[in-house]
Amino acid sequence: MYIDKKEVLRYLGYHSKKIDTITNEIIDTCIEEIKEIANFNYVYRIFPIEKKDKKIFLEGTSLIFESKNLYAHLLNSKKCALLAVTLGNIVDQKIRYYSKINLSKSLIFDAVATTAIESICDEIEENIKIIAKKYGLHITNRYSPGYGDFPLSYQPKIIHLLDAQKKIGLTATPDFILIPRKSVTAIIGLEDKPSINKLSSCAKCSQNRTCIYKKDGDTCEYKKNNR
């Protein structure tokens, strides 16, 4: 598992600021600890899709996506991959533990775990890219519930379709929060030509006015994943 320290610093809000020696050492310690305890697991499936009336139908299932932003993201896709990824419960337990005895370390540990789950998603995306290539297709970037107008309420539906609770122990609360917390569900389109994403601009993001990253000259994971 590769954990990019620069990404950890970005999540911590350091950007280009110089970090002190103690913080730097804690980050290194947390990276090693995450690598040791994380029990990452994942599941994904690829479905043919049909688009009609601005809705996306996953063939062979009853799942229908209704989201203008996701529809635009999959506009040229003929298939899509649904994936679910988790770092497992022990990482959550460690974050709670450190929050009680060392708040600073808890925040750093949380940022390291977030970087780790995104790194694993990148690896799975590469696997899907290889499969797409066998079909003569290209992949779009990841798109998750919570991006743009694609609501979090799709989290349990994706989990159910992938049987992710049984296969990797992933569930969602009634408020659609994933458990374990350091988990991701996402959708990747498969299309004939390399993706030219029309939503890669912050100006077109529904969170543009309130984005906490934008005011510091940074971008969110949505933009990062759509570069």
Side-chain angles (χ1 to χ4, degrees):
M1 180 193 305
Y2 173 69
I3 300 176
D4 188 341
K5 200 169 183 177
K6 290 182 180 177
E7 277 297 286
V8 175
L9 292 171
R10 191 176 74 87
Y11 283 121
L12 288 170
Y14 273 86
H15 309 293
S16 58
K17 300 175 187 174
K18 188 175 181 180
I19 58 172
D20 60 85
T21 303
I22 293 176
T23 301
N24 192 46
E25 290 176 353
I26 295 174
I27 292 173
D28 288 340
T29 301
C30 289
I31 288 175
E32 292 306 312
E33 191 170 354
I34 288 286
K35 288 181 177 178
E36 184 177 338
I37 68 170
N39 181 28
F40 74 87
N41 214 334
Y42 64 89
V43 58
Y44 66 81
R45 288 179 61 187
I46 296 173
F47 299 88
I49 58 175
E50 181 181 353
K51 285 160 281 183
K52 184 178 180 182
D53 298 330
K54 300 295 182 182
K55 299 177 184 177
I56 300 165
F57 298 79
L58 273 68
E59 294 184 10
T61 81
S62 59
L63 185 56
I64 303 169
F65 292 130
E66 295 186 56
S67 158
K68 291 180 180 177
N69 292 153
L70 180 62
Y71 188 90
H73 190 76
L74 299 179
L75 186 62
N76 298 314
S77 298
K78 53 179 59 177
K79 300 175 185 284
C80 77
L82 266 59
L83 67 145
V85 189
T86 182
L87 289 185
N89 285 315
I90 296 178
V91 172
D92 283 6
Q93 292 170 10
K94 277 289 183 178
I95 292 173
R96 288 195 295 271
Y97 170 73
Y98 287 130
S99 71
K100 294 176 182 175
I101 65 168
N102 187 332
L103 185 57
S104 295
K105 184 168 184 178
S106 171
L107 294 173
I108 292 172
F109 197 87
D110 190 290
V112 172
T114 299
T115 305
I117 190 75
E118 290 298 330
S119 177
I120 293 167
C121 286
D122 289 343
E123 293 178 15
I124 298 165
E125 188 173 310
E126 285 300 310
N127 291 341
I128 294 171
K129 187 176 182 179
I130 292 171
I131 294 172
K133 195 172 182 179
K134 292 179 181 176
Y135 290 116
L137 300 173
H138 303 268
I139 65 169
T140 67
N141 294 297
R142 297 192 298 273
Y143 202 96
S144 289
Y147 288 177
D149 69 346
F150 189 37
L152 290 172
S153 57
Y154 279 105
Q155 303 261 51
K157 296 174 184 177
I158 293 172
I159 289 171
H160 176 73
L161 187 55
L162 293 176
D163 199 15
Q165 180 172 359
K166 181 179 179 180
K167 292 181 177 176
I168 64 173
L170 181 61
T171 62
T173 68
D175 295 328
F176 315 121
I177 303 301
L178 296 177
I179 303 294
R181 293 293 298 272
K182 292 305 175 185
S183 303
V184 168
T185 63
I187 297 164
I188 296 173
L190 282 69
E191 54 193 35
D192 287 324
K193 297 180 179 178
S195 177
I196 301 175
N197 199 307
K198 296 180 179 179
L199 293 174
S200 60
S201 169
C202 291
K204 296 180 179 178
C205 178
S206 63
Q207 306 298 317
N208 182 38
R209 292 185 178 181
T210 58
C211 179
I212 60 173
Y213 297 99
K214 181 184 173 185
K215 66 180 181 181
D216 292 326
D218 204 347
T219 58
C220 67
E221 277 306 302
Y222 168 74
K223 178 69 180 296
K224 172 178 174 285
N225 288 334
N226 287 278
R227 286 172 180 164

